Amino acid sequence: MRALQNRLDYLRELEERKQTILNSIQDQKKLTPELEKAILNAETKTAIEDLYLPFKPKRRTRGAVAIEAGLQPLADALLADPTLEPEKTAESYINKDKEINDVKAALDGAKYILMERFSESATLLGEIRHFLWQNARLSSRLVKNKEEAAKKFTDYFNYDEALKTIRSHRVLAILRGRKEKFLQLSLTLQDEEEYAVHPCQEMIAKIWNITDNGRPADQWLAEVVRWTWKIKLIPQMETDLISQLREQAENEAIKVFSENLKCILLAAPAGPRVTMGLDPGLRTGVKVAIIDKTGQLTEHTTIYPHEPQKRYTEAQGALVKLILKHGVELIAIGNGTASRETDQLIADLMKQFPKLKVNKIMVSEAGASVYSASELAAKEFPDLDVVFRGAVSIARRLQDPLAELVKIDPKSIGVGQYQHDVSQSLLANSLDAAIEDCVNAVGVDLNTSSGALLCRVAGLNKTLADNIVAYRNQHGAFSNREQLFSVERLGDKTYEQAAGFLRIMQGDNPLDRSAVHPEAYPLIEKIATSSQRNIGQIIGDVQFLNSLNAENFIDDSYGLPTVTDAINEMKKPGRDPRPEFKMASFKEGIDTIDDLKPGMILEGVISNVTNFGAFVDIGVHQDGLVHISAISDRFIKNPRDVIKTGEIVKVKVLEVDTGRKRITLTMRINDKVTQDKNSGKTKKTEQSKTHHKKPNKKATIKQGTFAELFAAAKPLRK
């Protein structure tokens, strides 16, 4: 449905642009039936802009000046009849009043006229653009004398790759390098220097029927073609195609961000358990917040177990008292500064007091500080110091990631790929859509959800969400979905959209806790009546529901898909589509990157998935990279086909670069790691002679060093 909406928006914009262009050409009195038909039949924005180019209002060009000087007949004559002598023909166009002082000036003016005419041919532009997309390569070169400042773009100092195959993350990296004025970009052809005449020049000549038959004007026309390509079309094509490349790369990066966000939001919730949230710190101490089963803050404090205070025993005592007092079941530890030290504090506490029966989990604190300082947090906790709000958020996102993370700007959650290099409006729209999809897939408890969560339900907005919360605060918990009609400004249409996603767990009607829409309640009643049972008896009775023939309940109101969906929902009413809650176990004694050794097998959590691989949190403050080639024993095009953000995986350490703080990992545990005698570094030995990755005939990917793995490798021309 979202794809249909995006396509509809594009077509509406296309139609609107067509009308604007038609009106503009009509006002110039240059609209012909053929041109009008071509514009109306154009299927892309690029195509209509090509058609509009000759009629588009533009600044006064050299061609326009030449036309005003009366040189258009000269240009037309030489193009139509190459047997004419250019110099001799141009003599009659010398006009000192128009600053055409000699033959050269006249021929130059005619050349500018034809250059503009050639470069404004929609047919020619389309053909050249298609040819270059299929055959051109994007070349990147270092700007002179910027080697030191441009170190992070080392892989692109002398780089080129086919336009149609270059991956999105490399495009965005290269474009960032150009934006920061470290890289220069150009379009080239493979072995371009071997062509006597550039293929695009041949295309221009063919379109305008220009050939070299030894006639007097043939050489002059060939020069016009060369200038058209070099001066007019190369800059235009580079702009157009690099823009197209950017657009595709942005769309892919946004898609990656959106998919990762969905994985984070749909991560397994720990559920209604009393949770202690720890926001680690050194000098400022560890902020502690206790959250009850419903997510409400019950107590908060600060402990100082680390440098410089080092009140370790006192901190443990304070934590034990809080755990016993509130019956804490889970301890959520933020993964920022001092997280490993705090994790060790809790590990020691659990060993010392085994009867506490608590579990500790490292939780991503990305965006917690953003939430702490937000207007929403201030509204939720007006009397709570901002430094404790982060600990609250850390605890809550363990209980229910979806309910808590919807309060934070998704761009602050840290699962994007070049998120600052893409269209921020498109990114925002895509992420909002992802959040809506997740919220509606899970459903929302009408009686416990915050306004921030409710406003993400289909059909609701911030005003209606706030009105629902206000009604709930004034009148108590909702007992049935029908009460929504009593909420201010919530009408029939909104109810129709939202009701199926709003759950009432202990309401009057058992169907209100399911995803069955109220419109389908009569269908469920019909099924119950046919079996002489009540609705409460058939809900959850899988054996009975499996015995039903859905076709027996089809009528004018309910088709087969609706009946089938309703029966399936009755089997597990209000089921949560999220996975079962599991915890990753970081290896004891592995606290920093310095503790890592090649060959170690560790457990970790996938923190981010990109097109070139996945980053895994193994508990050392620095995520490691599993390159796409090291994710699976079989060939994969997209890492998300086999892994997702938030998944717990086992990895092997391949290489550790402490200086650059880079860790190379593999999920192919049977891969062997051997010592490279020449470099002193480690390298991977494949399980078999045949690599799982498909060979690329035009480029080979070096797999040996971390830099290449990390940057998705640099293709080398043969």
Side-chain angles (χ1 to χ4, degrees):
M1 288 179 68
R2 293 200 185 282
L4 288 171
Q5 181 184 9
N6 291 337
R7 182 61 179 162
L8 179 60
D9 291 342
Y10 179 88
L11 292 174
R12 283 174 172 166
E13 291 172 4
L14 183 65
E15 288 302 308
E16 185 178 341
R17 182 59 179 160
K18 284 180 181 180
Q19 289 305 313
T20 300
I21 288 173
L22 288 172
N23 293 338
S24 175
I25 300 175
Q26 183 68 55
D27 291 343
Q28 299 173 45
K29 303 188 184 307
K30 295 179 180 178
L31 185 63
T32 64
E34 295 77 15
L35 178 59
E36 182 178 18
K37 182 179 179 181
I39 291 173
L40 291 174
N41 290 337
E43 296 182 353
T44 66
K45 294 178 181 179
T46 301
I48 60 172
E49 294 301 333
D50 286 349
L51 291 166
Y52 183 42
L53 193 57
F55 311 97
K56 193 173 185 177
K58 56 178 77 77
R59 61 181 177 81
R60 197 159 172 261
T61 63
R62 288 182 174 183
V65 172
I67 291 173
E68 293 171 5
L71 295 175
Q72 184 161 324
L74 173 61
D76 292 341
L78 293 174
L79 178 62
D81 186 5
T83 63
L84 295 174
E85 290 275 359
E87 289 78 7
K88 188 174 181 179
T89 306
E91 287 177 357
S92 60
Y93 290 90
I94 296 174
N95 185 341
K96 294 188 177 181
D97 292 339
K98 298 287 189 178
E99 297 184 1
I100 310 299
N101 298 320
D102 51 30
V103 167
K104 183 180 183 303
L107 289 176
D108 283 348
K111 178 174 67 176
Y112 296 136
I113 292 171
L114 291 182
M115 284 170 59
E116 289 187 13
R117 186 182 304 175
F118 292 173
S119 64
E120 291 177 349
S121 165
T123 302
L124 175 65
L125 292 173
E127 288 186 6
I128 290 180
R129 194 179 286 113
H130 176 73
F131 171 81
L132 290 176
W133 185 259
Q134 294 299 319
N135 298 281
R137 303 176 72 82
L138 179 65
S139 295
S140 168
R141 300 292 181 264
L142 173 69
V143 174
K144 191 175 180 180
N145 299 326
K146 292 203 174 181
E147 292 88 344
E148 191 64 29
K151 274 186 177 179
K152 62 182 177 181
F153 297 104
T154 302
D155 292 334
Y156 304 107
F157 284 179
N158 188 28
Y159 170 92
D160 77 281
E161 185 175 356
L163 271 181
K164 64 179 181 180
T165 61
I166 187 169
R167 301 294 297 273
S168 63
H169 58 277
R170 292 202 282 270
V171 172
L172 294 175
I174 290 169
L175 292 178
R176 181 188 290 179
R178 182 178 71 167
K179 183 179 179 181
E180 296 180 12
K181 300 182 179 179
F182 294 134
L183 302 176
Q184 293 175 327
L185 307 186
S186 62
L187 298 186
T188 61
L189 294 180
Q190 183 87 27
D191 302 320
E192 185 172 320
E193 64 279 357
E194 296 181 7
Y195 291 101
V197 178
H198 196 286
C200 291
Q201 289 180 218
E202 293 180 342
M203 295 168 70
I204 299 169
K206 183 178 179 181
I207 287 282
W208 293 97
N209 198 27
I210 296 172
T211 58
D212 187 0
N213 294 324
R215 295 167 295 185
D218 283 348
Q219 286 300 313
W220 182 83
L221 288 170
E223 184 68 5
V224 173
V225 169
R226 190 178 74 84
W227 274 60
T228 301
W229 170 241
K230 294 285 186 181
I231 306 301
K232 284 285 188 182
L233 291 180
I234 285 181
Q236 181 178 343
M237 287 297 117
E238 287 186 351
T239 299
D240 288 355
L241 292 174
I242 291 177
S243 294
Q244 182 178 340
L245 204 60
R246 174 192 284 278
E247 183 179 347
Q248 291 187 1
E250 285 187 353
N251 290 338
E252 183 63 24
I254 289 171
K255 180 182 177 183
V256 168
F257 199 151
S258 178
E259 290 176 351
N260 283 341
L261 178 62
K262 285 183 178 181
C263 291
I264 289 292
L265 294 177
L266 294 179
R273 306 186 197 181
V274 179
T275 303
M276 173 184 287
L278 301 180
D279 187 358
L282 293 172
R283 182 182 56 82
T284 57
V286 178
K287 309 302 181 296
V288 184
I290 306 297
I291 305 300
D292 67 17
K293 293 182 179 182
T294 64
Q296 299 302 308
L297 176 65
T298 57
E299 190 170 346
H300 63 277
T301 188
T302 305
I303 56 176
Y304 299 90
H306 312 311
E307 298 283 355
Q309 291 91 338
K310 299 174 67 172
R311 289 148 59 179
Y312 203 82
T313 304
E314 178 186 324
Q316 282 190 324
L319 292 176
V320 169
K321 288 180 181 178
L322 289 171
I323 292 169
L324 293 173
K325 177 180 177 182
H326 298 281
V328 172
E329 301 171 68
L330 296 174
I331 300 177
I333 306 168
N335 66 344
T337 303
S339 62
R340 291 300 288 178
E341 294 87 343
T342 304
D343 183 72
Q344 188 60 52
L345 169 74
I346 302 302
D348 291 344
L349 184 147
M350 291 168 64
K351 286 180 182 178
Q352 193 173 351
F353 302 97
K355 292 184 178 181
L356 291 178
K357 294 182 180 180
V358 294
N359 287 305
K360 62 181 177 68
I361 303 97
M362 195 74 75
V363 176
S364 170
E365 62 179 40
S369 59
V370 175
Y371 165 76
S372 299
S374 69
E375 182 181 346
L376 180 59
K379 186 176 180 181
E380 276 194 284
F381 303 104
D383 301 322
L384 183 65
D385 192 308
V386 67
V387 298
F388 291 105
R389 295 173 186 168
V392 173
S393 180
I394 289 168
R396 282 179 168 179
R397 63 178 66 184
L398 180 61
Q399 287 183 328
D400 191 338
L402 179 60
E404 188 62 22
L405 291 176
V406 294
K407 303 173 184 177
I408 300 169
D409 180 352
K411 287 181 283 188
S412 300
I413 296 176
V415 291
Q417 175 184 345
Y418 292 96
Q419 65 190 61
H420 301 296
D421 296 300
V422 303
S423 166
Q424 295 304 296
S425 59
L426 290 178
L427 178 61
N429 290 338
S430 176
L431 298 183
D432 283 344
I435 294 172
E436 288 177 9
D437 291 348
C438 293
V439 170
N440 291 290
V442 173
V444 172
D445 189 324
L446 191 56
N447 286 322
T448 62
S449 298
S450 66
L453 188 60
L454 286 167
C455 72
R456 297 292 187 172
V457 172
L460 300 183
N461 54 33
K462 186 178 184 303
T463 299
L464 286 171
D466 289 343
N467 289 348
I468 289 173
V469 173
Y471 181 89
R472 191 173 69 199
N473 292 339
Q474 183 177 354
H475 301 280
F478 287 87
S479 56
N480 58 71
R481 284 170 168 166
E482 292 291 323
Q483 287 180 292
L484 285 167
F485 286 115
S486 300
V487 175
E488 186 179 357
R489 302 180 69 176
L490 200 155
D492 293 345
K493 203 65 181 177
T494 299
Y495 180 82
E496 180 183 342
Q497 287 184 278
F501 305 111
L502 298 170
R503 312 278 197 267
I504 300 175
M505 305 314 292
Q506 304 296 329
D508 301 335
N509 189 334
L511 292 177
D512 284 349
R513 70 171 184 267
S514 73
V516 176
H517 195 280
E519 291 175 343
Y521 283 7
L523 169 63
I524 304 301
E525 291 167 359
K526 180 179 178 181
I527 293 173
T529 301
S530 69
S531 64
Q532 298 182 340
R533 304 169 71 182
N534 62 47
I535 292 175
Q537 291 174 319
I538 68 171
I539 290 179
D541 189 339
V542 178
Q543 184 176 356
F544 164 73
L545 293 167
N546 283 337
S547 70
L548 296 175
N549 184 352
E551 294 181 354
N552 294 338
F553 302 98
I554 297 173
D555 56 26
D556 294 339
S557 300
Y558 308 107
L560 183 60
T562 300
V563 176
T564 302
D565 285 349
I567 291 174
N568 288 335
E569 174 62 19
M570 287 299 94
K571 295 176 185 177
K572 293 182 179 180
R575 63 192 180 282
D576 194 323
R578 293 174 290 185
E580 182 183 352
F581 178 70
K582 295 179 182 178
M583 296 179 289
S585 299
F586 294 139
K587 195 167 183 177
E588 290 187 18
I590 307 299
D591 301 325
T592 70
I593 191 171
D594 295 321
D595 297 324
L596 296 176
K597 302 295 179 186
M600 282 183 172
I601 297 176
L602 307 169
E603 191 169 82
V605 180
I606 296 176
S607 59
N608 197 2
V609 181
T610 70
N611 283 344
F612 55 84
F615 289 93
V616 180
D617 179 5
I618 52 176
V620 295
H621 300 299
Q622 179 63 48
D623 291 353
L625 173 70
V626 181
H627 184 256
I628 185 173
S629 63
I631 289 175
S632 173
D633 291 319
R634 62 183 176 84
F635 172 76
I636 57 173
K637 287 185 176 180
N638 187 340
R640 283 173 294 281
D641 291 340
V642 293
I643 55 174
K644 61 183 179 180
T645 305
E647 188 175 340
I648 298 171
V649 295
K650 284 198 172 183
V651 294
K652 178 186 281 187
V653 179
L654 287 182
E655 184 179 331
V656 182
D657 186 339
T658 54
R660 301 173 73 185
K661 293 187 177 180
R662 288 183 171 179
I663 306 163
T664 309
L665 307 170
T666 178
M667 289 172 58
R668 294 158 33 129
I669 303 300
N670 292 329
D671 284 352
K672 294 180 180 178
V673 179
T674 60
Q675 190 74 19
D676 187 336
K677 294 180 181 179
N678 295 323
S679 66
K681 293 183 178 180
T682 57
K683 62 180 181 179
K684 178 176 65 174
T685 300
E686 300 297 344
Q687 289 173 278
S688 63
K689 293 181 180 179
T690 304
H691 195 280
H692 78 284
K693 190 162 184 174
K694 288 184 178 178
N696 185 339
K697 293 181 181 179
K698 292 189 176 181
T700 57
I701 304 294
K702 295 172 65 180
Q703 299 288 346
T705 67
F706 180 85
E708 286 145 354
L709 289 170
F710 192 87
K714 175 184 174 182
L716 302 175
R717 285 173 58 176
K718 292 181 179 179

